[in-house]
Amino acid sequence: MSEEFEIRNKVAESGLINFDLTDLVPKGIRKGIDLKDFLFMEMILKEKDFREKVAAIDVEEYRDAYVYIYNSADAIVPLWAYFLITAKLTDVTKKIVYGDREDLEVILMHNAIKNHDFDEMRGKRVLVKGCSDKEIPENSYIELVEQLKPVVKSLMFGEACSNVPILKN
């Protein structure tokens, strides 16, 4: 093939770093614990019964899982109840949070972004991938920009063929 008809990958030649935020999503099982299952008639916390149900939890079911504790009942639950469940599971889980699955994902992504080493992007042009098959909490993009702004030469969002310039340093 002659040089005038050579197919070139201009994106690869540009020195642009493509960054996919889904690469930071922690892998592992997510499990929820609904406090209503520990309540008398799914409404009232009886301390003795509650403690017995917590003691009966099979911790192996939560081994290496990311756990979120929530309360779907219209019941007031004292804070110490969350302490008991957390104390029971904290040695076997990867992370335990209060809230729903979405809250768990926000916290996991927060930790992943805060702990990621972005030094390889120092002084580089970075394109953050815009489309993904995994759901990423919107807050993750905000936190990513906070981490990348002081590091990168330029930041863009989208795809190589159609991106939105965000900043230039």
Side-chain angles (χ1 to χ4, degrees), residues 78-89:
L79 288 175
W80 59 260
Y82 301 100
F83 278 57
L84 282 176
I85 293 175
T86 303
K88 174 79 176 187
L89 297 176

Side-chain angles (χ1 to χ4, degrees), residues 103-168:
D103 295 324
L104 173 67
E105 297 303 332
V106 168
I107 290 169
L108 292 178
M109 286 305 294
H110 168 80
N111 291 341
I113 292 167
K114 285 291 186 191
N115 295 322
H116 187 75
D117 182 7
F118 291 104
D119 208 43
E120 69 185 42
M121 298 178 189
R122 188 164 301 284
K124 305 281 173 122
R125 298 172 59 232
V126 176
L127 173 65
V128 175
K129 185 177 178 181
C131 296
S132 174
D133 56 349
K134 291 183 183 174
E135 216 172 295
I136 302 291
E138 285 86 357
N139 194 62
S140 301
Y141 292 97
I142 292 169
E143 292 190 52
L144 182 65
V145 172
E146 286 180 319
Q147 295 299 309
L148 292 178
K149 185 176 180 184
V151 175
V152 301
K153 178 179 179 181
S154 66
L155 182 62
M156 295 158 274
F157 177 80
E159 305 300 323
C161 61
S162 63
N163 61 68
V164 178
I166 305 299
L167 65 93
K168 288 186 182 188

